[in-house]
Amino acid sequence: MVTVGDFGDATLPYGVFRAEGGSPRVGVAVGGLVLDVATVVGAPEEFVRPDLNRFLARGPHRWKEVRKALQERAASGVSPGQEGVHRIADVQMMLPVEVADFVDFFSGIEHATNAGRILRPGEEPLKPNYRYLPAGYHGRAGTVVVSGTDVVRPEGQIRHGEHVTVGPSARLDFELELGYVVGTPSTQGVPVPAEDFRDHVFGVVVLVDWSARDIQAWEYQPLGPFLAKSFATTISPWVVPLDALPWVDGPVQRPAVLDYLNTPEPRNPAVEIEVELNGVVISRVSAAGLYWSPAQQMAHMTRGGASLRTGDLYGTGTISSHDPSSAGSLLEISWGGERPFRLSGDETRTFLEDGDVVIVRASVPGEPDRSLVGGRRPIGDRYIGEARTVIRPAPSARWHPHPS
């Protein structure tokens, strides 16, 4: 069983921390400790700063060089009281990167199918283009926040029958995702092929895509999400290098993808994710079965000529299954609000309420296995991070929920 918050020597994720009375510095987690990277590697211009961007921009050779040095340091023993070593519990963790652009994809075919059945009953749940391209939208980089940041209930236009009002969302939801952090930039106008994924993408974070379903239902046609998703995106404070993750084959893609989306197997990280709502685990799911891989997402994102920039963040889209116990959003767990589910005692939910505490955590299972997709076993053996949030009331007058 994973010890939550305790990173193993094989993980060594990077973050930005501030010790009491100090300035922000780049650190690496070892067990429940954070090691000041500058004390091991030097290079203050890269590591004595408030973000990882300068280090990330150096590229794969530098990433491997620093990781090797940190692995050797970790193997020699790290304990509190040593130079540059702090307890994670004693420091403030900060947003790990200065986010350049944010893109969110729609790469979980189970979530896309579930959402289609809920929102368009009687129609084909998947749009014709779903199996041809990894669909996504451009979000707001400025509202990406680090774990521990409260999320304020958003307001926007909401339709009630024939009437449209403006007010707080009554159908606030989460979506379980992973996010990929770009290190090496690319040239505008030059697409980046899928096989160059590891030359540009540094690592992965836990990502929560917050969604106001009632605002989204009114505004998303014809141009997609806007106010329903722009108010906040939460990520974990630790960026786990791609080399620290086991990778597995993704599902068979039919029809065969176009040439620029071809990528060598394995395609997806073997990562398990669970969500806890007010102390109750309500879903566990695996990222191993995502239909579109992060390499394919990157290739499609740049196909039109858009460049990658250091600090770019892109999300997988909701990781889900057809089993409610492994669904990646409340939209699916409550089937659009029609099926309230029990938390504890007499407490039930369909969507999030003010004061709710949401924790999304991820780990690597001990033995990566495709049979884990949709599984309900306890969260795996190697912790890789979490995103924790409290839902706060909308800034307007007291919230009066609209009928679901």
Side-chain angles (χ1 to χ4, degrees):
M1 172 68 76
V2 64
T3 301
V4 174
D6 192 0
F7 295 92
D9 291 355
T11 306
L12 297 181
Y14 292 79
V16 175
F17 74 97
R18 177 161 46 201
E20 185 176 0
S23 58
R25 305 170 72 92
V26 174
V28 160
V30 185
L33 306 172
V34 56
L35 174 60
D36 186 339
V37 177
T39 65
V40 177
V41 181
E45 72 282 359
E46 288 181 62
F47 300 118
V48 183
R49 53 180 292 112
D51 56 63
L52 288 165
N53 292 49
R54 189 165 297 179
F55 167 59
L56 299 185
R58 295 288 301 275
H61 177 77
R62 179 60 170 164
W63 305 341
K64 291 181 183 297
E65 178 183 65
V66 173
R67 182 168 170 80
K68 181 180 179 182
L70 292 168
Q71 287 173 324
E72 292 172 352
R73 176 67 178 84
S76 70
V78 176
S79 60
Q82 294 176 331
E83 181 185 6
V85 179
H86 308 265
R87 290 184 175 86
I88 293 176
D90 295 337
V91 302
Q92 176 190 0
M93 296 306 302
M94 307 175 72
L95 193 67
V97 296
E98 182 180 351
V99 181
D101 286 310
F102 172 55
V103 173
D104 205 15
F105 284 94
F106 194 43
S107 292
I109 196 168
E110 296 86 358
H111 172 70
T113 302
N114 292 339
R117 289 172 176 161
I118 293 167
L119 301 175
R120 300 185 301 276
E123 299 181 24
E124 175 61 37
L126 292 180
K127 294 295 185 180
N129 64 355
Y130 188 86
R131 294 179 184 271
Y132 285 86
L133 57 84
Y137 70 90
H138 289 279
R140 284 186 74 88
T143 53
V144 176
V145 297
V146 71
S147 173
T149 305
D150 294 349
V151 167
V152 176
R153 183 177 299 276
E155 300 185 4
Q157 288 194 16
I158 303 169
R159 183 177 180 178
H160 309 281
E162 298 300 316
H163 303 286
V164 177
T165 63
V166 62
S169 170
R171 296 166 71 89
L172 183 58
D173 198 357
F174 57 76
E175 295 185 347
L176 309 184
E177 304 190 21
L178 295 177
Y180 290 88
V181 177
V182 172
T184 312
S186 67
T187 302
Q188 187 170 353
V190 180
V192 181
E195 60 264 28
D196 289 353
F197 171 62
R198 289 177 178 268
D199 292 334
H200 292 275
V201 177
F202 173 75
V204 66
V205 293
V206 180
L207 187 149
V208 184
D209 175 30
W210 303 100
S211 303
R213 300 298 184 187
D214 39 8
I215 296 173
Q216 184 178 2
W218 174 236
E219 74 177 5
Y220 86 102
Q221 298 185 44
L223 293 180
F226 192 43
L227 297 188
K229 288 178 176 283
S230 64
F231 58 97
T233 302
T234 302
I235 64 172
S236 54
W238 298 102
V239 185
V240 178
L242 298 183
D243 288 347
L245 300 174
W247 293 74
V248 296
D249 294 349
V252 175
Q253 294 177 310
R254 294 195 178 96
V257 300
L258 299 177
D259 285 346
Y260 78 96
L261 291 170
N262 272 323
T263 179
E265 300 286 359
R267 293 208 318 262
N268 292 324
V271 171
E272 293 181 333
I273 304 173
E274 72 176 16
V275 59
E276 180 181 298
L277 177 56
N278 297 344
V280 179
V281 174
I282 60 173
S283 180
R284 295 189 180 101
V285 67
S286 172
L290 280 170
Y291 191 81
W292 294 106
S293 74
Q296 292 173 319
Q297 293 166 351
M298 180 202 69
H300 187 67
M301 184 166 57
T302 62
R303 185 62 185 179
S307 61
L308 298 173
R309 297 199 292 165
T310 299
D312 279 356
L313 173 69
Y314 64 95
T316 57
T318 309
I319 303 167
S320 194
S321 84
H322 296 306
D323 180 347
S325 69
S326 300
S329 68
L330 293 179
L331 176 74
E332 298 162 90
I333 295 172
S334 72
W335 206 252
E338 295 179 3
R339 305 170 187 172
F341 62 93
R342 188 175 303 281
L343 280 179
S344 59
D346 295 330
E347 187 178 23
T348 61
R349 286 290 185 278
T350 52
F351 293 96
L352 294 171
E353 297 184 6
D354 294 343
D356 281 350
V357 179
V358 181
I359 304 173
V360 178
R361 60 176 65 95
S363 72
V364 172
E367 295 295 331
D369 189 326
R370 284 297 303 280
S371 67
L372 295 175
V373 176
R376 282 289 297 178
R377 73 173 207 173
I379 196 73
D381 302 295
R382 181 149 58 87
Y383 175 75
I384 66 168
E386 71 178 35
R388 178 187 299 258
T389 304
V390 178
I391 304 302
R392 298 302 183 194
S396 65
R398 181 180 175 185
W399 175 50
H400 296 283
H402 304 295
S404 298

